[in-house]
PDB file of all heavy atoms in Angstrom:
ATOM      1  N   GLN N 187      41.658 -57.939 -63.552  1.00 98.00           N
ATOM      2  CA  GLN N 187      42.987 -57.445 -63.157  1.00 98.00           C
ATOM      3  C   GLN N 187      43.782 -57.004 -64.390  1.00 98.00           C
ATOM      4  O   GLN N 187      44.435 -55.961 -64.391  1.00 98.00           O
ATOM      5  CB  GLN N 187      43.756 -58.522 -62.388  1.00 98.00           C
ATOM      6  CG  GLN N 187      43.177 -58.847 -61.014  1.00 98.00           C
ATOM      7  CD  GLN N 187      43.239 -57.674 -60.049  1.00 98.00           C
ATOM      8  OE1 GLN N 187      44.008 -56.736 -60.224  1.00 98.00           O
ATOM      9  NE2 GLN N 187      42.400 -57.725 -59.029  1.00 98.00           N
ATOM     10  N   ASN N 192      46.965 -54.805 -64.249  1.00 98.00           N
ATOM     11  CA  ASN N 192      47.678 -55.562 -63.214  1.00 98.00           C
ATOM     12  C   ASN N 192      48.019 -56.960 -63.743  1.00 98.00           C
ATOM     13  O   ASN N 192      47.154 -57.838 -63.772  1.00 98.00           O
ATOM     14  CB  ASN N 192      46.801 -55.641 -61.963  1.00 98.00           C
ATOM     15  CG  ASN N 192      47.417 -56.490 -60.865  1.00 98.00           C
ATOM     16  OD1 ASN N 192      48.579 -56.907 -60.962  1.00 98.00           O
ATOM     17  ND2 ASN N 192      46.642 -56.747 -59.820  1.00 98.00           N
ATOM     18  N   SER N 194      50.708 -58.587 -62.376  1.00 96.00           N
ATOM     19  CA  SER N 194      51.770 -58.957 -61.433  1.00 96.00           C
ATOM     20  C   SER N 194      51.742 -60.427 -61.035  1.00 96.00           C
ATOM     21  O   SER N 194      52.781 -60.998 -60.722  1.00 96.00           O
ATOM     22  CB  SER N 194      51.662 -58.085 -60.182  1.00 96.00           C
ATOM     23  OG  SER N 194      50.441 -58.353 -59.513  1.00 96.00           O
ATOM     24  N   THR N 195      50.561 -61.041 -61.043  1.00 94.00           N
ATOM     25  CA  THR N 195      50.490 -62.425 -60.563  1.00 94.00           C
ATOM     26  C   THR N 195      49.684 -63.294 -61.527  1.00 94.00           C
ATOM     27  O   THR N 195      48.473 -63.452 -61.347  1.00 94.00           O
ATOM     28  CB  THR N 195      49.832 -62.488 -59.169  1.00 94.00           C
ATOM     29  OG1 THR N 195      48.706 -61.602 -59.162  1.00 94.00           O
ATOM     30  CG2 THR N 195      50.804 -62.124 -58.087  1.00 94.00           C
TER      31      THR N 195
HETATM   32  C1  NAG V 401      46.956 -57.600 -58.729  1.00 57.77           C
HETATM   33  O1  NAG V 401      46.271 -58.827 -58.879  1.00 57.77           O
HETATM   34  C2  NAG V 401      46.507 -59.763 -57.828  1.00 57.77           C
HETATM   35  C3  NAG V 401      45.671 -61.008 -58.114  1.00 57.77           C
HETATM   36  O2  NAG V 401      45.536 -61.274 -59.453  1.00 57.77           O
HETATM   37  C4  NAG V 401      46.117 -59.194 -56.490  1.00 57.77           C
HETATM   38  O3  NAG V 401      46.475 -60.121 -55.489  1.00 57.77           O
HETATM   39  C5  NAG V 401      46.795 -57.882 -56.267  1.00 57.77           C
HETATM   40  O4  NAG V 401      46.285 -57.291 -55.073  1.00 57.77           O
HETATM   41  C6  NAG V 401      46.536 -56.948 -57.442  1.00 57.77           C
HETATM   42  N1  NAG V 401      47.276 -55.700 -57.264  1.00 57.77           N
HETATM   43  C7  NAG V 401      46.652 -54.527 -57.271  1.00 57.77           C
HETATM   44  C8  NAG V 401      47.559 -53.333 -57.141  1.00 57.77           C
HETATM   45  O5  NAG V 401      45.434 -54.411 -57.387  1.00 57.77           O
END
Side-chain angles (χ1 to χ4, degrees):
Q187 292 296 340
N192 176 8
S194 64
T195 42

